[in-house]
Amino acid sequence: DTAVSQTPKYLVTQMGNDKSIKCEQNLGHDTMYWYKQDSKKFLKIMFSYNNKELIINETVPNRFSPKSPDKAHLNLHINSLELGDSAVYFCASSQNGWGYNEQFFGPGTRLTVL
Amino acid sequence: AQSVTQLGSHVSVSEGALVLLRCNYSSSVPPYLFWYVQYPNQGLQLLLKYTSAATLVKGINGFEAEFKKSETSFHLTKPSAHMSDAAEYFCAVSDNAGNMLTFGGGTRLMVKP
């Protein structure tokens, strides 16, 4: 049973399109995250949600809109895709409220914008 | 603000040799520190974490790390490298509320036969 799953694994699309990435965790965790890994492998937090409430939004363009329909899901919708959005996007989850809790990562979604 | 610096974006060792991957952190509060490993085309997997209990932390696959407050370091070591250790390694620091991880730039470990 996969703990944190993401779909799709690969996404190739044209500039200007709108796309979504879905994330689900079956660990019963309260907190979920989106991270972006660029071509140099640098990882940066984009959003974090706790109990469906947005906690962190790290100066991400408002073309990116996370949506958490319930605690187990955190989807990422991207409008008007740009070349610079090409990256690997990771979803993660952890138990609520404490920095010592491990984050569990999904397998990633490789987004390529042409 | 918290930050993490990993010295050496690429480290190459021979199979059976000591692995040492360096990590220095900056944090205004006692840190929670993590090492994650990323194999090609995969997500991140936790190797070990420091949560202010023991300063020497043992993790999976024979890795360990030592927290040194005076040096603001959390270097990762393994006594004997194996070919299967070849991967990207990330050091990270967490804020107290668990709202985010701040990652270092990563170190690619290459293991020569």
Side-chain angles (χ1 to χ4, degrees), chain A:
Chain A
D1 244 3
T2 306
V4 182
S5 59
Q6 296 178 227
T7 53
K9 189 164 173 64
Y10 298 96
L11 189 49
V12 181
T13 188
Q14 300 285 335
M15 267 198 320
N17 283 350
D18 303 338
K19 290 293 177 186
S20 291
I21 307 171
K22 297 191 176 196
C23 176
E24 176 180 2
Q25 54 96 1
N26 62 7
L27 298 167
H29 288 165
D30 290 325
T31 309
M32 295 186 73
Y33 313 81
W34 278 109
Y35 289 88
K36 179 180 180 181
Q37 186 174 45
D38 65 21
S39 58
K40 291 188 166 65
K41 301 284 189 180
F42 185 69
L43 276 153
K44 186 170 165 54
I45 183 75
M46 298 174 70
F47 302 103
S48 70
Y49 268 73
N50 185 274
N51 277 317
K52 304 194 302 174
E53 184 183 335
L54 179 67
I55 302 297
I56 295 277
N57 179 343
E58 279 291 298
T59 60
V60 178
N62 57 16
R63 298 183 296 103
F64 290 78
S65 50
K67 293 239 177 356
S68 183
D70 55 58
K71 274 187 359 177
H73 296 85
L74 180 61
N75 304 323
L76 184 65
H77 188 76
I78 315 169
N79 289 329
S80 303
L81 278 155
E82 300 178 358
L83 292 176
D85 298 331
S86 295
V88 181
Y89 292 85
F90 287 101
C91 178
S93 73
S94 73
Q95 285 186 298
N96 184 24
W98 298 104
Y100 55 71
N101 286 319
E102 163 189 2
Q103 291 187 20
F104 291 79
F105 284 78
T109 296
R110 183 175 293 275
L111 171 64
T112 303
V113 182
L114 304 174

Side-chain angles (χ1 to χ4, degrees), chain B residues 27-70:
Chain B
S27 176
S28 58
V29 296
Y32 298 119
L33 294 160
F34 302 79
W35 275 100
Y36 283 86
V37 60
Q38 184 179 27
Y39 298 102
N41 298 315
Q42 292 188 28
L44 281 76
Q45 178 184 4
L46 181 73
L47 279 176
L48 49 81
K49 64 180 181 182
Y50 168 75
T51 58
S52 76
T55 56
L56 183 62
V57 181
K58 292 190 186 301
I60 62 170
N61 301 340
F63 284 94
E64 61 181 40
E66 186 172 8
F67 173 72
K68 291 187 177 180
K69 185 177 177 182
S70 60

